[in-house]
Amino acid sequence: MIIPRSRLLSFAILIALTRIGYPQASLDQAWTVLQAGLSDKNTESRAAAVRLLGLLPEEQKAPQFALEALKDEKPEVREAATDALGRLKAKSAIPQLTEVIQHDKEAPVVLGAARALIAMDDSLGYGVFYAVLTGEKKSGGGLMEDQKKMLKDPQKLAQFGFEQGVGFVPFGGLGLTVVRSLTKDDVSPIRAAAARILAADPDPKSLAALEAACRDNSWQVQVAALAAIAQRGDPGTRSTVEMYLDNPKEIVRYTAAAALIHLNDLPTRKPIRSSTQKKRQAK
C-alpha cells in the first residue's frame, strides 16, 4: 500500500507543530487532527497517522497510541505501529512486539515487529530474519508449517519489501521500477534483505548462515550475504569470500572482490562477537 505523499505531508506538518514552540491552541489542534487520523475509518489514513507517531520521541502519548494501533484489525496499520514503536525505541513495548512475532499471521507485521526489536537491541528480532534467510529457527528444528507459509508468501513479502519501505530491500537505491525488473522471484530480495540485517547480529549461527547463503541459487542473496560478511569485519571469513572471485555472475564477483579488499584493509579490526564470546575472552 502506497500512502499518498500529500497525506503524509499534511500529517507531518501538523506533528511538527508540537516541536517548534507553537501556541498551546495550535498544539491542541495538532493533536486533535492527529488523533482524528489515528481513528480514521480509511485504512491508509490511519496507517499514515500511526507511522508518523515515530516522529514524536519526546511525547509520552506516542508509544501509547502506537501500542493501541498494534491491535488494529488491518495489517497495514499494525505494521505501521511496529515501525513507529521501533523509531520511538519504546522498550516498554517489547512484550507486545514479542507477542506479535509469536501470533500475528501477517508477514509484514511480523517482520516489522522484528525490525522494531532490533532497534531496541533485542536479539529476538534477528531470529526472525534468520528464519527468513534459512527457513529454520535459530534454536534448532524446522519452522511450523503456518510460519513457513507466512514467511515465504511471495505476494506478502513483496508487498512489504516494495511498498511499505523499499529501503528495506538491498537494492532500494536503484528505484522501484528497476528493482522489479531485476528479478521475477519476489522472495529473493526479501531474503537478501534478511541477510543484510544479520550483518549486525553477533550470534555465530548468523555468520554460519551468511556463509551458507553465499552458495544460494539467487544472486541477490549471494550478493547480500557477501556484503554482510564484509560488514561483520571478521578476517577469518576471507577464505569464504575468495571462493566467489570467479563466480559466473558479474555482480557476485564484484561484491566478493570488494568484500575481500575490505576485509584485508581491516586486519586488526575486531569482528562482531556475541556477549558470550566476549565473556570467554575476558576470562
Side-chain angles (χ1 to χ4, degrees):
M1 178 189 69
I2 301 175
I3 307 297
R5 185 183 297 272
S6 59
R7 185 169 291 158
L8 286 171
L9 183 59
S10 297
F11 280 127
I13 291 173
L14 288 165
I15 286 177
L17 293 176
T18 68
R19 312 178 81 182
I20 56 178
Y22 268 65
Q24 187 61 44
S26 296
L27 298 181
D28 291 342
Q29 181 184 4
W31 274 113
T32 298
V33 172
L34 182 59
Q35 286 180 262
L38 296 173
S39 59
D40 197 292
K41 291 182 179 180
N42 181 277
T43 301
E44 291 185 5
S45 296
R46 206 159 65 250
V50 169
R51 194 177 301 277
L52 287 165
L53 290 170
L55 297 177
L56 304 175
E58 305 301 323
E59 296 289 337
Q60 293 183 353
K61 291 187 287 187
Q64 297 173 12
F65 286 136
L67 279 172
E68 189 61 32
L70 208 55
K71 306 171 190 173
D72 198 278
E73 63 177 8
K74 296 295 185 179
E76 297 92 337
V77 179
R78 298 199 302 276
E79 191 276 324
T82 66
D83 181 74
L85 290 168
R87 293 178 187 278
L88 293 169
K89 298 189 185 299
K91 291 193 174 183
S92 60
I94 287 178
Q96 291 90 333
L97 290 167
T98 300
E99 188 78 6
V100 166
I101 287 175
Q102 293 172 341
H103 299 293
D104 202 292
K105 300 301 181 183
E106 295 293 333
V109 184
V110 172
L111 295 176
R115 293 170 69 191
L117 288 176
I118 290 173
M120 299 176 203
D121 299 317
D122 189 299
S123 61
L124 177 62
Y126 287 119
V128 173
F129 291 104
Y130 180 93
V132 172
L133 179 63
T134 68
E136 300 290 331
K137 292 179 181 177
K138 263 191 176 187
S139 57
L143 295 174
M144 301 294 288
E145 286 306 312
D146 59 339
Q147 291 175 312
K148 285 183 179 180
K149 183 178 179 181
M150 175 182 66
L151 293 173
K152 292 189 176 182
D153 185 318
Q155 289 185 332
K156 290 182 178 179
L157 289 177
Q159 178 185 1
F160 177 70
F162 292 137
E163 296 180 359
Q164 294 293 350
V166 176
F168 173 67
V169 180
F171 317 106
L174 297 178
L176 179 57
T177 303
V178 177
V179 172
R180 281 177 170 160
S181 68
L182 285 174
T183 176
K184 295 179 181 179
D185 176 5
D186 289 329
V187 178
S188 290
I190 308 302
R191 293 183 60 241
R196 292 297 293 267
I197 288 175
L198 291 178
D201 182 10
D203 191 332
K205 284 187 176 181
S206 286
L207 175 57
L210 289 171
E211 290 185 302
C214 290
R215 302 189 297 272
D216 199 88
N217 291 330
S218 165
W219 66 263
Q220 292 98 328
V221 176
Q222 288 182 298
V223 166
L226 287 165
I229 287 173
Q231 186 179 332
R232 292 176 73 93
D234 187 342
T237 59
R238 283 183 287 197
S239 58
T240 297
V241 175
E242 286 175 359
M243 296 169 57
Y244 299 92
L245 292 175
D246 296 320
N247 191 278
K249 188 74 176 178
E250 286 183 346
I251 187 62
V252 176
R253 293 201 304 273
Y254 299 158
T255 306
L260 188 62
I261 293 170
H262 175 69
L263 291 171
N264 192 64
D265 286 342
L266 302 170
T268 60
R269 178 180 172 181
K270 294 182 179 179
I272 297 175
R273 299 186 185 280
S274 66
S275 56
T276 303
Q277 288 175 308
K278 290 177 181 177
K279 288 178 182 177
R280 287 175 181 171
Q281 210 172 35
K283 291 179 181 180

